[in-house]
Amino acid sequence: MGAGPAFNPPEAGTIRSRPSRPPVGLLEFRAFQSNGNTRVTVRTRFAPSPTGMLHIGGVRTALFSWLYARRHGGTFILRIEDTDRERSTDAAIEAILDGMKWLGLDADEGPFYQTKRYDRYREVINQFLESGHGYHCYCSKEELDEMRAGQMARKEKPRYDGRCRHRTTPVPGVTPVVRFRNPDEGQVVVNDIVHGPIVFQSQELDDLIILRSDGNPTYNFCVAVDDWDMGITHVIRGDDHINNTPRQINMLRAMGATPPVYAHLPMILGPDGTKLSKRHGAVSVLEYRNDGYLPAALLNYLGRLGWSHGDQELFSLEELTRLFDLDAVNKSASALNLDKLAWTNQQHMMKLPGSALAPLLAEQLASRGIDPAGIDLAAIADALKERSRTLAEMAEGSRFFFADPTEYEPKAAAKNLNADALPALLAARAALVALGAEFTPARIDEALKGLAATLGVGLGKVAQPLRVAVSGGGVSPPIDATLAILGAGTVLRRLDRAIQHAGS
RNA sequence: GCUCCCAUCGUCUAGAGGCCCAGGACACAGCCCUCUCAAGGCUGGUACGAGGGUUCGAAUCCCUCUGGGAGCGCCA
């Protein structure tokens, strides 16, 4: 797997020798005192499994964890849950790391890899075995399948019936798994910041496998060990984990650990309100970079999905980290609205100076095989930022700056590059030539307006033919800015060709 | 089937008993501005799933129903 460090617990001794943490209450975790002036620092983690791409849903979870840590001056930890050796891939790890880096969701600790912590897991498993919290189970897969099928047929909840709980002798030739012995009675209360207390009856919880017969520990177990070892104070994750939580709490208790506070976030649905799929937004978050979205805009949009701050829609990252809090998080699932994401992106682009957008526009142009050498991309970005929803749209809208039109858009040409427009075109040419070296937006505007006045027509009668002449179509930024960016030489060259076209 | 979660405009949401015959945003329509396209401004339509309670008063509290979702793996 990956090459990151293994997390080494401050005290790698036995579980019971670990100093016990002071209790963390539900909503007043933030500053409990143990000796008068000790303050608990918030520690959150994002724990993706590298079995697929990092998509929008995962990013939202990561964002909330990151924001919460930042907001409270805490620590954000990245942990790669790669215990599924069959499906975990290095490519997926790379994609997660790249995505987090692009978005700027930097981790203070990690990435840690669970596959590097096997010694620690085994240590806990042995302790469970000794203390009776764990036991060997020799049931075969077939046997378990059969058991489940029978329960389903009887309309019971499929669960392990504990048939190996009291077995004292091994079954020859069978490598056992280790199961965690859940309490038989009582209840487990999950203190959830967004949902409030959620109560589970222990009876509902069966004995889950914590060590596979191939020696690999399993998810729920590793999570419990890691969250404790890494001192996680707030587990922020998708609400599809709610049902796992009581088991994790039970294992935490068996370790003598104090469970963290939980915050289960609602799911993100596709635009049609159904589960996110590859057709929707379940593509790698890096696709959004290719599509020309700004990290800040994507984060802004995602932040507003399931969280709100009054009526405010637009947030800078700085505002987000200052205002975000878990108590304003919604409980219900929300659907992706790509139109709003695009709008948000445009709003962010509009706030940025062209010089900041220029390098990003350059990337988009490069991927289109366009060489913008010698052209002022910052000026183009300034001219186009309020007429593009994404950087990709900006790149498309700027194409005519880099190449003379090879043909004119038929409708626009028919209307604006005809005999009627010829006088205006010729007069405009003369007026522009007269500008000489002062080919600036202000001077161009002045000249064109003066010309329109002399001709006794509206500016549109002059600007629109010019627009079609230099851009090939009927849409472009304001004509003064457009001409200035193109430069006198290019403008006159394109104008001459258009005049020829209009006269023929 | 069992357990758990959820429920305000098409979508994202405000709303924590009277300020709400429900506000903002995206999208949509119209108008204004205007050299095109945008951006911006103004206007408009559309929502508290249903039924019972509690209360002088409920989108807000309680119950039931309905609808949606998640989990029930030697996946995470």
Side-chain angles (χ1 to χ4, degrees):
Chain A
M1 277 313 95
F7 183 91
N8 294 309
E11 289 176 40
T14 64
I15 307 163
R16 282 181 198 157
S17 69
R18 281 187 60 79
S20 68
R21 290 165 191 288
V24 176
L26 175 52
L27 289 170
E28 57 282 280
F29 52 82
R30 118 150 127 286
F32 74 72
Q33 323 231 285
S34 64
N35 60 16
N37 51 16
T38 307
R39 171 177 262 247
V40 164
T41 49
V42 167
R43 290 174 64 84
T44 66
R45 53 35 166 215
F46 175 52
S49 74
T51 52
M53 295 299 108
L54 173 61
H55 61 73
I56 226 85
V59 170
R60 207 274 303 258
T61 302
L63 172 64
F64 282 21
S65 291
W66 184 88
L67 285 176
Y68 193 74
R70 290 285 169 273
R71 159 71 203 271
H72 294 284
T75 303
F76 175 64
I77 296 161
L78 178 60
R79 182 170 83 215
I80 305 294
E81 311 221 318
D82 52 356
T83 53
D84 182 351
R85 304 202 128 160
E86 299 279 300
R87 300 191 301 153
S88 294
T89 64
D90 286 340
I93 291 173
E94 281 306 307
I96 290 167
L97 266 23
D98 288 349
M100 298 288 282
K101 188 178 178 192
W102 174 58
L103 292 164
L105 299 179
D106 51 312
D108 301 301
E109 293 179 17
F112 300 117
Y113 295 86
Q114 293 189 319
T115 44
K116 302 215 166 168
R117 289 176 39 76
Y118 275 29
D119 288 348
R120 170 63 178 152
Y121 301 139
R122 223 159 298 239
E123 178 184 32
V124 179
I125 283 167
N126 287 334
Q127 301 210 5
F128 276 2
L129 248 17
E130 280 168 33
S131 64
H133 283 117
Y135 63 90
H136 291 294
C137 169
Y138 294 84
C139 298
S140 67
K141 268 189 177 168
E142 294 67 36
E143 197 177 347
L144 295 172
D145 287 344
E146 198 179 310
M147 184 183 73
R148 269 191 284 271
Q151 288 163 330
M152 293 282 250
R154 271 173 275 128
K155 299 189 189 268
E156 288 167 17
K157 182 174 181 171
R159 65 208 301 278
Y160 178 65
D161 63 9
R163 58 184 64 176
C164 288
R165 272 191 156 198
H166 305 292
R167 176 185 287 281
T168 47
T169 52
V171 175
V174 176
T175 310
V177 299
V178 175
R179 283 184 187 271
F180 175 72
R181 189 188 306 272
N182 255 302
D184 302 303
E185 42 194 40
Q187 46 188 212
V188 182
V189 179
V190 178
N191 285 330
D192 192 294
I193 296 182
V194 344
H195 293 274
I198 304 171
V199 182
F200 291 86
Q201 299 303 320
S202 290
Q203 297 175 321
E204 297 295 333
L205 278 17
D206 63 355
D207 295 344
L208 69 157
I209 291 172
I210 57 177
L211 183 69
R212 299 178 176 96
S213 52
D214 66 4
N216 282 303
T218 59
Y219 168 75
N220 280 110
F221 170 74
C222 296
V223 167
V225 175
D226 288 353
D227 283 343
W228 175 236
D229 282 353
M230 298 180 189
I232 304 301
T233 57
H234 296 72
V235 170
I236 299 169
R237 65 205 337 181
D239 66 12
D240 50 335
H241 287 287
I242 287 180
N243 289 296
N244 290 146
T245 311
R247 286 181 226 274
Q248 291 175 13
I249 287 177
N250 279 157
M251 288 189 281
L252 250 4
R253 293 218 171 108
M255 283 186 263
T258 305
V261 171
Y262 293 89
H264 286 101
L265 273 22
M267 303 271 83
I268 290 182
L269 277 15
D272 60 356
T274 65
K275 197 172 169 182
L276 219 48
S277 74
K278 287 178 197 83
R279 295 196 62 75
H280 297 136
V283 292
S284 167
V285 68
L286 295 171
E287 289 294 320
Y288 289 86
R289 175 174 62 184
N290 295 338
D291 291 344
Y293 289 93
L294 261 20
L298 184 58
L299 260 18
N300 181 166
Y301 174 73
L302 254 20
R304 278 287 287 107
L305 225 45
W307 173 82
S308 58
H309 181 70
D311 284 338
Q312 189 172 346
E313 297 287 350
L314 268 11
F315 299 84
S316 65
L317 237 201
E318 187 276 323
E319 282 180 296
L320 236 30
T321 61
R322 182 155 45 79
L323 300 171
F324 180 83
D325 220 335
L326 252 16
D327 50 27
V329 170
N330 238 114
K331 286 199 267 262
S332 52
S334 39
L336 232 37
N337 182 338
L338 271 5
D339 275 322
K340 189 162 180 180
L341 168 61
W343 173 80
T344 304
N345 196 62
Q346 179 171 26
Q347 295 297 316
H348 277 260
M349 290 202 299
M350 283 165 58
K351 283 181 183 163
L352 255 27
S355 56
L357 261 8
L360 302 173
L361 175 58
E363 281 176 25
Q364 290 287 333
L365 293 172
S367 73
R368 287 169 174 70
I370 296 172
D371 177 12
I375 300 183
D376 187 353
L377 286 187
I380 291 179
D382 272 325
L384 248 28
K385 65 188 183 187
E386 65 184 31
R387 14 185 79 74
S388 320
R389 306 201 305 169
T390 65
L391 289 158
E393 280 184 21
M394 185 182 280
E396 288 304 321
S398 73
R399 277 182 181 278
F400 75 86
F401 282 109
F402 312 105
D404 287 2
T406 50
E407 56 188 26
Y408 299 110
E409 194 181 289
K411 274 189 185 171
K415 194 174 173 190
N416 298 290
L417 295 187
N418 53 29
D420 290 345
L422 205 48
L425 245 18
L426 288 166
R429 187 187 196 287
L432 292 171
V433 169
L435 252 29
E438 287 189 82
F439 209 71
T440 64
R443 295 306 310 275
I444 292 170
D445 181 60
E446 197 182 325
L448 262 24
K449 277 183 178 152
L451 174 62
T454 354
L455 259 36
V457 298
L459 180 56
K461 290 288 181 201
V462 177
Q464 204 53 15
L466 275 173
R467 172 168 285 117
V468 180
V470 300
S471 77
V475 177
S476 89
I479 199 65
D480 51 351
T482 301
L483 298 187
I485 292 168
L486 285 168
T490 300
V491 168
L492 294 181
R493 183 175 69 242
R494 293 184 187 182
L495 208 40
D496 286 338
R497 189 168 160 241
I499 287 168
Q500 210 172 16
H501 180 95
S504 63

